[in-house]
Amino acid sequence: MIELRTPTQIEQMRPAGRFVASVISALAEKADVGVNLLELDAMAHDMIRAEGAESCYIDYHPSFGAMPFGKVLCTSVNEAVLHGLPFDYVLQDGDLLSVDFAASVDGWVADSALSVVVGTPRQEDLDLIATTDRALAAGIAAATVGNRVGDISAAIGDVARSAGLRVNLQFGGHGVGRTMHGDPHIANDGRAGRGLKLRPGLVIAIEPWFLHTTDDIYIDKDGWTIKSSDGSRGAHMEHTIAVTDDGPLVLTARG
């Protein structure tokens, strides 16, 4: 079911967006050579407690997950791109790290993701992150009243193809509200002019994610972490936005 939020409700969602943005920013600053993924998860957990927020991940158990997630943060490193289950791993020089975080504040959810390079970057990783960020910006720009979901998807896919990337359609953006995942699904490629018409009050997470040389993925033996089939690296960017008469409002804007 697709729910539209009133202007008052969108205002009520702002604290969740600000909190999630603050956690993502703090994690990106903390991520460095020698930092353990479990330290990042613990940091996010501490921030949740201090805010009086609730994790959207720790008890999350969808059909594709082997068990309840059990952590409050997704940390995907190098060939891992989505749903990375934090484990005892110390970040190395040159690692490509994606962090994905969602939380509920006063009953409203926000969801965001960011990719960064730890230590000395590879140019191809920086290019992949930049392309993914451009795709996110293009998707957000297309989220205007009167457009359709397909316009968002097409805008993301156009950026990917212009960079020579292939797009996986198994996982994408989604509705956000009282829960983390809802309708509509926002694919990372599609046909403009197709799908649900965008109306004021629609709140969605737009989240392009790409791999260097493939669109084929598999789930790691941990039952959660999604990795590239050929070992190529991935990047992931995400914002929660509201469709308004004044244009798209980015609830998880950082800085």
Side-chain angles (χ1 to χ4, degrees):
M1 181 176 68
I2 295 170
E3 298 182 73
L4 299 178
R5 309 300 175 184
T6 67
T8 297
Q9 288 175 322
I10 290 173
E11 285 301 308
Q12 292 170 346
M13 297 183 78
R14 284 182 180 269
R18 287 195 294 266
F19 172 64
V20 167
S22 71
V23 174
I24 289 285
S25 296
L27 292 167
E29 185 173 345
K30 173 70 172 177
D32 201 353
V33 175
V35 173
N36 195 300
L37 297 182
L38 296 178
E39 292 180 61
L40 297 178
D41 185 72
M43 178 179 178
H45 212 151
D46 288 344
M47 294 182 74
I48 288 172
R49 283 193 291 264
E51 181 71 17
E54 294 182 9
S55 170
C56 292
Y57 289 170
I58 199 161
D59 295 321
Y60 186 51
H61 191 188
S63 59
F64 56 81
M67 66 288 188
F69 191 73
K71 304 293 183 183
V72 302
L73 176 69
C74 292
T75 53
S76 304
V77 181
N78 297 333
E79 75 275 14
V81 66
L82 294 175
H83 307 162
L85 186 63
F87 67 106
D88 185 13
Y89 174 80
V90 175
L91 290 168
Q92 306 296 308
D93 187 47
D95 277 347
L96 198 169
L97 169 69
S98 299
V99 292
D100 189 356
F101 179 74
S104 174
V105 176
D106 297 327
W108 294 107
V109 171
D111 190 3
S112 187
L114 176 68
S115 291
V116 296
V117 177
V118 175
T120 309
R122 303 180 186 182
Q123 187 59 48
E124 60 265 31
D125 289 342
L126 296 178
D127 292 344
L128 182 64
I129 291 171
T131 297
T132 311
D133 199 33
R134 285 198 306 274
L136 175 59
I140 292 171
T144 58
V145 173
N147 272 359
R148 294 183 179 273
V149 165
D151 294 304
I152 300 174
S153 299
I156 294 169
D158 286 348
V159 172
R161 281 189 297 277
S162 70
L165 300 174
R166 295 159 62 181
V167 181
N168 180 290
L169 300 180
Q170 291 172 258
F171 297 95
H174 49 87
V176 178
R178 294 292 189 181
T179 60
M180 178 172 57
H181 287 147
D183 294 327
H185 174 69
I186 314 293
N188 285 325
D189 197 9
R191 296 181 64 182
R194 298 292 183 93
L196 177 76
K197 193 170 186 178
L198 304 181
R199 296 167 58 191
L202 182 67
V203 181
I204 54 177
I206 300 175
E207 54 176 316
W209 60 275
F210 307 127
L211 298 161
H212 274 304
T213 58
T214 186
D215 60 355
D216 191 32
I217 57 176
Y218 73 96
I219 298 179
D220 186 70
K221 61 183 179 182
D222 68 11
W224 273 100
T225 304
I226 292 177
K227 296 183 173 183
S228 66
S229 62
D230 65 357
S232 62
R233 297 183 173 204
H236 178 202
M237 296 287 189
E238 178 181 19
H239 273 310
T240 297
I241 69 110
V243 178
T244 78
D245 285 321
D246 297 323
L249 171 65
V250 181
L251 294 169
T252 51
R254 296 180 291 271

